[in-house]
Each structure stands twice: as structure tokens, then as C-alpha cells.
Amino acid sequence: MSTSASASPEPRPPGRVRLEDVAAAAGVSRTSASRVMLGQGKVSDRTRRRVLAVADELGYVTNVAASELASGGSSTVGLLLRDASNPAYGLLFSELQKAGHAAGVTLLSMTIKHDDQGRQQVASLHRLMGMRVAGLIVATGGVTSDQLEPFRDRLPIIRAGRPESSGRIHAVSYDEEDAARRLAEHILELGHTDVAVQTARAEDSYPEFVRSTVMAQLLEIRGATVHRLEYRRGHDAMDESVDLARRGRVSAVMVPSDLRQLTLIRRLHEAGLRTPEDVATTGCDGILPGIDLLGLTTMRIAVEDVAERTIANIARMIGATGTGDDAGSGGSAEAGPGDPAGGRVVHERLPGRFIQGRTAGPPRTTGRTPA
Amino acid sequence: MSTSASASPEPRPPGRVRLEDVAAAAGVSRTSASRVMLGQGKVSDRTRRRVLAVADELGYVTNVAASELASGGSSTVGLLLRDASNPAYGLLFSELQKAGHAAGVTLLSMTIKHDDQGRQQVASLHRLMGMRVAGLIVATGGVTSDQLEPFRDRLPIIRAGRPESSGRIHAVSYDEEDAARRLAEHILELGHTDVAVQTARAEDSYPEFVRSTVMAQLLEIRGATVHRLEYRRGHDAMDESVDLARRGRVSAVMVPSDLRQLTLIRRLHEAGLRTPEDVATTGCDGILPGIDLLGLTTMRIAVEDVAERTIANIARMIGATGTGDDAGSGGSAEAGPGDPAGGRVVHERLPGRFIQGRTAGPPRTTGRTPA
DNA sequence: CTGTTAGCGCTTTCAG
DNA sequence: CTGAAAGCGCTAACAG
């Protein structure tokens, strides 16, 4: 495998091998060679075998650029991703790749930093468009619907992991509301009546915004006293949370992400407070390795499901089959690309799983309202 | 920005806009338009301005496939990545993207699952080659030097995060030996003389193999009694570790990764053993969020540095400048691609940082050999 | 079943 | 400074 410089008379030059070279060496025309490589059309078994053998021997690999140019379309799907150092996004990325692989969809990934008010995002978007991807998966909140809209009628776009408000863009997302509800209900069941909820602004993190909003609302509806602590750049609301807990004003602090919960617990420890004895805490995500050791009470979001459904949808929209079968060369015309059969916009929400953990216990005061 | 269907007489079709369209609308030739888009050659200021304006208005984006085909070379770098659900790889991925971005290098990422004895890897490699990337960054152990070798003389290849044995492939890696040494010395300093070391096989995880091997060797050289517990598929060596600890045969267990350390701690807890009171443990990586809360004693590998150096090297090799300047259109001939000035193979090892943590304390028996 | 003939959209000599 | 012409390597109708 490693040192196979044997029978070949000519010491094959390092330069790239063209299909034409393969065809010549196999004694057929470019067309036939092409057909073999594409696995389409009718080719005699002998021809196919020969071409394949020669191609392998010569180390031929299809020039994707030329291929796409000639055929007028790529089969790869662009993936706009957010900073994968966030474990939740890293996992989503992996799962998308895995699912894509299984479905025969090649993903072209591009991460973007979430600063720079969308300007950078647009640039990445353009590069992806320049590569003439067949579809687009957007797995970052940074890009707004407006920025996506102009491309919407050139290719199918689907958001992964975040709901989409625009009626023309597909989405497979985590059911944040369900997650928020279940966490809030858990806190209520434990008997907490005074709760601090760290809230995010929609423009900073939409998922966290939804989570925190729903949690706070549900708690209030059920008669609990809620302290909303909004955080933003340069103000993480942690000090206020710790302060409220220390003064006994709240017996539980709910935050909209596990990363924040870690920070919170850290701060509480520094202040000499323990979970769940002194204060109950909940987070959200459930992705971090070692979460069980930390005993975080949280929701595990359905990353695998979201990835799987996202790929399934986009694959259908671009007509990929993964086995090389043809998905019908005609029939995509006026309806616009990316419309699933019937022109309906996909809009799925996948629920997660509650993780009991050990950071949320009953309040120290026996749970009665001080009334 | 969103609803700009104004002055244009013809309701511009949703289809792609070609450079020719731009040229026509601007009243110049394709050639001039091309020159403007490439930012090269001499074009009058008025022409440039007009072309740019029209291009923007029409929403023109360069067809990368056609461009690369015509110019015979892409400026993107392929990135072969391992499963990003592993936090260490997820972070490396992010950092590479970030560094690439800063250096003006576009990365084309592709993750691979680490099963399937390299067969899958080769397929991904081929796809990347098919995209005619200008260089290749390999950030996964799964791909062997032999598999890389055939492509070595077509483009520069650099390994990120893992050392490379082949003398022809570049590498920027973590200094695993240094990490192993420092951890082992820490254990020795604490007074441990009987230590279990979970070892990995080179073919399963080379970094973990090096770490565990070096740790064990150093411990032995210094006179400690080492129990090597090798793990492989279906046997994680955890039971043996717990058993040795419970029977007091070892006072410390060293494992070659934090993920494993988490598993170990979990198992120890289940067996009623605590760290560091009953047994000391160390891991390696230091990437996990919340590592401070868990108090893991470990080494933080230099992910950021590795990413930065990797990009710097590959950028130089492919002659990228990030500002669009030309790096000399001639001069790359016999020396082979990817050879840095002088033809030397890059081979950097970057040291990490020790993290004290709380999982490793002194042995319960006062540290004297039972002799 | 196979080969021939045109391009895909862009970059690039080479003349104006 | 600008345009005309010639492909890059491949696929896609068309004939054989």
C-alpha cells in the first residue's frame, strides 16, 4: 500500500490525472469514462471494470470544480455553523456530519464568530453561494431571516437548532418552550415560591431568551414571585443572583444554559453557598461531558434528533438519495427550490429529556409562602 | 435591504447572475469585469467603481467552480477533522477556523468518524482532493502517514494536534511527553509510590498512547511501582482500576484523558471511594467546561497555539496573504509544493499548562514504601 | 452500448 | 488601460 512503485513503466508525474488520461489508458472515450465515474447510463461491464481499474491505478480523482461547472450543480450542502467550542454546537456539528454522511449528503462547513453584527456572516454566506451549494443549513442564530431571504429562492434553506419566524425558511429546532416549562414545573413541584430567573435578550441569544421568558412566565402564572435578572455584554447577572440567594430572597435560581449554571455554581461556592442545600439551580442543554458528576439539574436537548431531521429534510429538498440513484431529472420548476412536496414549509420542534440531577432540591423553609 | 424591487425594469430572474451579465450592465468586457473582481491588473478607477456597483446591485457572486477551473487552483485549505463532539476537537476546530479567518485562509472542513479502519478517511481525503484544495490540514489520528503520502507531492500537508513520524509531512502538535512528565512528576511529588496507569494502544489513540507510556516510564524510572492497565474496545480498564484502589494496592490512578478521568471518578464514587481522600487521579486535556468545578488535576493542552501555528504554517506554504496581494506567480517548481523556504519540514511541539485541581492529593499512608 | 460535439462561467495570454 | 480569443476538465445532449 505504501511503496507501490512497481510495474508502471512511466514514473507517473506528480501532477493531477485528468479523466482524459484515464480514458486514454483504458482505451475508451472520455464520455464512457465519465459515465463510469458517475455510475450512470449504460456501460458494458468490461468497460466499467477497466476504467475503474485504470482510474484507481493512476490515482484519479474527479475535479469537482469542472464537474460542477459542466453539470451545473453541486450536490453539497452548505453548513453555516456557530463557534463549535460551545459543546452544544460542537455536538450538533458532529451529528450533522454523521447524518449527512449516512444520507449521502456532503457538507461544506463554515463557522462564523458571533460578533460583528452579521457582516461577517453575510460574507460567509456569499462564499458558500459562490460554491454553488445545493442547499443551506444554518446552525447559528447570528444570521437573521432578512439576510437569508435573498437566497431563499435560489436554494432550500433550513435552520437547525433554532426556530424560524420567516414563513419561507424551513427549520428543525429544539423545543425550548417545552424545556423551559418542564424545568419551571420541576422547581414549582419542589415547593419553591421565590425564584430568580436569569434572562437573556433576544438579540444576544434567542434560544436563551425563549427559555428564560417561558420559565419566568410559567412561574408567575403559577403564583411564584419571580426576580428577572437580565444579562448582557459586561453584565452577567451573577452577582445579583448570588446576592438574592444569600439574603434569602430566593430559594432557587434558574439560568438558561448549563454553561451559565456552571458559572453560577462557581460563584455561589465562592460566596459560601451550596447547591442544593442553600439554593436550588437549574440550567439547560445537558450536553457537557461530566454533567452527571456535577449533578446538574437540566434538560438534555435533542441534538441527535435535530441533526437527523435536518439532514432528512434537506436531502429530500435537494433530491439526494445517497445511493447514487437518480431522483428524477425533471419536475422542479415553478414551485421554487426547496419546497417539499406540496410546497409546505417544514417547521419541526423536537423535545428534549429532563435530567433530574442534584442541583435542585426543595427550599430550606418548608415551602410555605411566608404570607 | 429586504424589499428592493425598485428601479430595475426587468424583474431580475431568481437564477444566478453571471460575470457576463455584470459586464454587460456595466458596459465593459468580461475581461475587465473579471479583473475588477479579482482586484488585480490595471483597471481605471471609473470602470472599477461601475463594475463593483453593478455587481453589488445585481447580487453577483463569483462562481467558484468556474473560477477555479479557469485559474487552475483554489485558495481554500482542506481540513480533515475528527468527531467534534469531543470537546478538545471541537475547540481545535473553532480555533482553526478563527485563525484561518484572521489569516485569510478559507477552510473546507470535513469530519470523519473514527471507526472503519481508515477506509472512510480515504474517501473523505479524495473528496477534498477533488475540490482541488491548495493545502491540507489533518486533525485526526485516524489517517495514517501512508494514506497521506500519495498526496504529499501534490500539496502541502500539515498535521494539527498530533506528531507526525513521516519526515515529509509537517506537523504542529501538543507536547504530549511534556504533559505526561509533568503529571507524573506531580504524582511523585505528592508521595505516591504505587500507581495505576491506564494505557492506550497506539492504534486506538496515539496521543493517549504517548501520554500513558511516558507517564508509566517516568514513574518506573523514579522507582514507583506501576500497574499498567491497557484498555481497548470493550474493555475500559476501569474495573481493574477501581479494584486496585479499593484493595489499597495503588494510591493513585493516572488516565490519559479527562473524559476517561470523568468515567473513572464516576466509577470510584459508585464503589464508595472518594478523590482525593481515598485515591488520587489525574487526567489530561483540560478542555472541558466546568473542569474547575470538578477540580480535575490535569494538563491544559495548547489548543489555541496549535491552531494558530498550524494556520500560520499552511498559509505560508500556500502563499496566502489574506489581503489579496499576489505572492509571486512563478517560482514553484522542482522543490515540490509545501516546502517552506529552505525545504525544511515543520515540526513544532507546543507545551500545555498544568492545572493543579483537587483530584490528586497525597496518599493516605504517609507515603513511605511498605518495605 | 459508445463516441462526437458543444458548451458550463471564468481567467488568461496576447493584441489593440 | 481594455477587449478578443482560447481554453481549464468535465458532462450532456445528440448521433452512430
Side-chain angles (χ1 to χ4, degrees), chain B residues 9 34 38 44 50 80 126 133 148 152 169 197 203 219 237 258 291 331 351 354 358 361:
Chain B
S34 174
L38 293 177
S44 80
R50 256 227 310 288
L80 220 45
H126 271 251
V133 292
L148 257 25
R152 167 55 186 76
I169 293 171
V197 176
E203 57 266 44
L219 290 170
D258 284 342
I291 210 171
F354 179 71
R358 285 174 272 113

Side-chain angles (χ1 to χ4, degrees), chain B residues 180 182-184 186-187 190 195-196 215 252-258 260-262 264-265 275 279-284 296-299 354-356 359-361:
Chain B
R182 289 168 66 178
L183 286 166
H186 181 65
I187 286 297
L190 287 170
V195 184
M215 290 190 297
V253 181
M254 302 188 74
V255 299
S257 88
D258 284 342
R260 290 194 173 277
Q261 188 178 194
L262 291 181
L264 175 63
I265 294 176
T275 52
V279 54
T281 66
T282 65
C284 199
L296 301 188
T297 292
T298 186
M299 282 290 296
F354 179 71
I355 294 179
Q356 176 71 60
T359 56

Side-chain angles (χ1 to χ4, degrees), chain B residues 101 145 265:
Chain B
H101 196 75
S145 302
I265 294 176

